Amino acid sequence: MRSERGYVAGLYARLDAERARVKGEYDAALLGNGGTAVERDAEVRALAKEAKRLDVADNGLCFGRLDTLSGEHSYIGRIGLFDEHDEYEPVLLDWRAPASRAFYVATAANPENMRRRRQFHTRGRRVLDFTDEVLGRPDGEARGDAALLAAVDAPRGAGMRDIVATIQAEQDEIIRLDHPGVLVIEGGPGTGKTVVALHRVAYLLYTQRERMERHGVLVVGPNPAFLNHIGRVLPSLGESDVVFTTTGGLVPGLLVTAEDGPEAARLKGSLAMLDVLAAAIRDRQRLPEEPLTIELGGGTARIDAPTAEWAREEARASGLPHNEARAVFTEIVTYVLTERAIPRIGKGWLTREDRTSWERLRAELVKELAEDEAFTAVLDELWPVLTPEALLAPLYSSPERLRAAGGDPVLLRADGEAWTVSDVPLLDELVDLLGSDGSVDRAAERARAAETEHAAAVLDSFVGRRDMMDDEDHLFATDLLDAEDLADRFVEHDTRELVERAAADRDWTYRHVVVDEAQELSEMDWRVLMRRCPGRSFTVVGDLAQRRSSAGATSWGGMLDRYVPGRWVYRSLTVNYRTPAEIMDVAAAVLAGFAPGVRPPESVRACGARPWSRLVTGDELPAAVEEFVRDEAGREGTSVVIGPPDVPGAVAASETKGLEYDAVLVVEPERILADGPRGAAELYVALTRATQRLGVLHRGPLPRALDGLVGIGMPERVGGRPV
């Protein structure tokens, strides 16, 4: 024990020395030590990232040791450390390194050329004790699960913890899987699929850092509470170039304020909405019912239906997005108007044979039209510049527009701008269908003009100084640059972190995307995500049995084959590390009722506390909920009340997806079960959030699937049901 404590203490000494070195270099970089501003900024960022990597290693820096058959041994930890005299000689192996793999997968039957695995139990920087496991002998010890059981039995804190010290063999295989396309990880409650996906991200960033870190990783979760829950895992593993968002956050700046009903969500999630959107755009490309007149060349010009129809056909045939095709529409209309106006202005003396005069007059008329507000207003009426919001909001609030686009009346709503999560993929689709509305281009032009004006002022000052000097041998800035060239020198380098830049940019593309609770995503959601990752590198996490959304997946192939045929693989997790056997037995009965072909994951432990139920009246319910909250407040760990929205203090089961609590109180399961066709899946989710204690309060008859609960404060039970 003394030698191990001494070795780990030495590792911490190396860690502290490395931190001091990086801090010194970071401070020097801040002061500036040569190079361009961009180079200095890159150096500062790299050193800041390295400092973060070293800062996460204090807790559990070294958690194990591997001894080979030849007597050599390696220490395994959160990060890699090297001998200061030989940088190629590791004194601590990063858990992601190939040489560390045996720590997670070696067994007595398959020792991976290892003789012994040692797991350290630490507090702070001190080794308290360790557990040894002898490998490769028929009479050898079975793999010690002390560390794993201690981790899953420990009270839950504010967020998800990493499992770097307790990764199991089936999890490690998935984390290190070498597959360039889409990996689907399916597992029931408590199987650790989310944390496995996050460790896979850390592994990919370790093995493919140069390819991945310039564009970063996107993690999509079901709700903000879930993202807060998992948000510390990757930083605890030293990885920070990750954007976390929900599907509602995939369009930057959009505020989601409403919620769709099941049928509206199903319709909006269907690919059939592509036809509705295309038709809605075509409906805004109008023909005049009566000829429209404008002043041109001292006379009147008419834009009639045949002219607008020809222009519309040409614009549509161009294949350009709507806003960009407006230029084609404008060009055709302008051509027709000028062709008709030139003979009138020429009064018979000007013919096409006089090409120079004809084209000169045309150019004057084109300029007149371009500056004519009345002509612009006509164009806006026939072919308006549209933003996604300006197209979709009137579509939802107008029965006539919706009917013209072939949309279902279910999509109608009073406030067209009351955006929902299901609107996000439609708005994102419209960005591409409509194209730029010119606002970004105009802003860029204004910024560029300001930069050029500033640069010109600097040039003037240079010229003034040169005029005051008599040294003709001096080379001045004005001898080399004009204002446009010098303006480039004044463009500020974007100093935002990658995460900030990526989250604010709708057109940002990622090297890898993690999608959690993926069974809830619609067909339209997947189109958004595929645009965000052109390389089609995904880790998809979900459980089809827990699907709640009517627009969600009924099979993985149904969602993925359209985009990555033959490029996605499936892996399942079968062991439940979170839910104790007593609780899982109850949840399994619910699962059997709505998904009889799905096998529930097998729990690795029992907690010793039987789940209970209690029959209450409406008047007794609030006090019973308060009693649960009060009792749990005196215990270590976390708790939650899950129930219908009118139960004080309760949250919906959908809001707890992916989360875990020491204690859970499910209120009125009979109402949850009756809430639509996926109510049973919702109840299954609610029951499987608990890691230690589960209670149920019910006012109506207890659902038959919950007959296994122990009644508390109730009359005698016959056949598991109250009498």
Side-chain angles (χ1 to χ4, degrees), residues 339-484:
E339 280 289 300
R340 291 174 179 173
I342 289 173
R344 172 176 54 79
I345 297 171
K347 297 182 179 181
W349 59 262
L350 181 60
T351 66
R352 291 182 184 274
E353 282 69 27
D354 188 354
R355 296 178 60 88
T356 301
S357 299
W358 189 283
E359 292 304 327
R360 183 169 59 246
L361 182 53
R362 182 198 299 282
E364 293 174 1
L365 294 175
V366 168
K367 184 174 184 295
E368 182 181 341
L369 287 173
E371 296 173 352
D372 188 344
E373 293 182 359
F375 181 59
T376 300
V378 168
L379 293 176
D380 289 341
E381 180 180 343
L382 300 179
W383 197 286
V385 174
L386 296 169
T387 65
E389 293 84 353
L391 178 88
L392 202 56
L395 181 69
Y396 287 151
S397 58
S398 167
E400 294 77 20
R401 288 192 187 278
L402 192 62
R403 190 181 309 113
D408 193 293
V410 172
L411 301 178
L412 280 171
R413 65 189 186 209
D415 184 356
E417 295 184 341
W419 304 117
T420 69
V421 170
S422 302
D423 291 328
V424 171
L426 307 183
L427 292 167
D428 191 76
E429 189 77 34
L430 286 169
V431 172
D432 288 345
L433 293 176
L434 295 174
S436 172
D437 63 356
S439 59
V440 174
D441 296 336
R442 290 191 294 272
E445 288 175 7
R446 288 193 296 270
R448 180 67 179 181
E451 291 155 5
T452 303
E453 184 179 351
H454 178 52
V458 174
L459 283 172
D460 288 342
S461 70
F462 286 159
V463 172
R465 288 205 301 273
R466 183 174 66 177
D467 290 343
M468 297 170 61
M469 298 177 66
D470 248 347
D471 189 350
E472 294 183 358
D473 294 329
H474 256 69
L475 185 66
F476 287 84
T478 50
D479 297 318
L480 299 175
L481 301 172
D482 60 19
E484 283 286 335

Side-chain angles (χ1 to χ4, degrees), residues 621 643-647 667-676 679 699-701 703:
L621 181 61
D646 57 349
V647 174
V667 181
E668 298 193 86
E670 63 277 18
R671 290 178 59 193
I672 297 175
L673 195 61
D675 184 21
R699 291 196 298 165

Side-chain angles (χ1 to χ4, degrees), residues 292-304:
L292 303 173
T293 60
I294 59 170
E295 296 299 318
L296 179 62
T300 300
R302 300 168 70 252
I303 304 174
D304 52 24

Side-chain angles (χ1 to χ4, degrees), residues 14 81-91:
R14 291 177 188 271
L81 292 175
F82 298 88
D83 190 321
E84 64 268 24
H85 302 299
D86 183 358
E87 62 179 8
Y88 297 106
E89 183 62 32
V91 293

Side-chain angles (χ1 to χ4, degrees), residues 8 12 57-62 121-128:
V8 172
Y12 276 108
D58 254 327
N59 183 27
L61 172 62
C62 176
H121 309 288
T122 61
R123 180 178 298 145
R125 292 189 166 201
R126 180 178 173 79
V127 176
L128 301 178

Side-chain angles (χ1 to χ4, degrees), residues 45 49 52 201 205 212-219 227 231 234-235 238-245 249 252 494-506 508-510 512:
R45 290 190 186 198
K49 189 175 295 185
K52 287 181 181 178
V201 169
L205 286 166
M212 294 186 67
E213 71 176 353
R214 284 199 299 270
H215 286 256
V217 173
L218 175 66
V219 175
L227 296 179
L234 283 168
E239 304 298 348
S240 57
D241 290 335
V242 180
V243 174
F244 292 87
T245 189
D494 192 340
T495 58
R496 293 176 298 170
E497 294 292 331
L498 179 144
V499 168
E500 295 177 89
R501 288 182 284 131
D505 185 354
R506 181 264 174 187
W508 189 278
T509 57
Y510 297 88
H512 191 76

Side-chain angles (χ1 to χ4, degrees), residues 653-667:
S654 58
E655 295 179 29
T656 66
K657 278 201 165 186
L659 308 182
E660 55 186 33
Y661 305 88
D662 291 271
V664 172
L665 179 67
V666 178
V667 181

Side-chain angles (χ1 to χ4, degrees), residues 10-12 14-15 18 53-54 61 79-83 89-94:
L11 293 175
Y12 276 108
R14 291 177 188 271
L15 176 65
E18 186 69 4
R53 185 184 78 90
L54 295 171
L61 172 62
I79 64 172
L81 292 175
F82 298 88
D83 190 321
E89 183 62 32
V91 293
L92 181 67
L93 286 174
D94 190 299

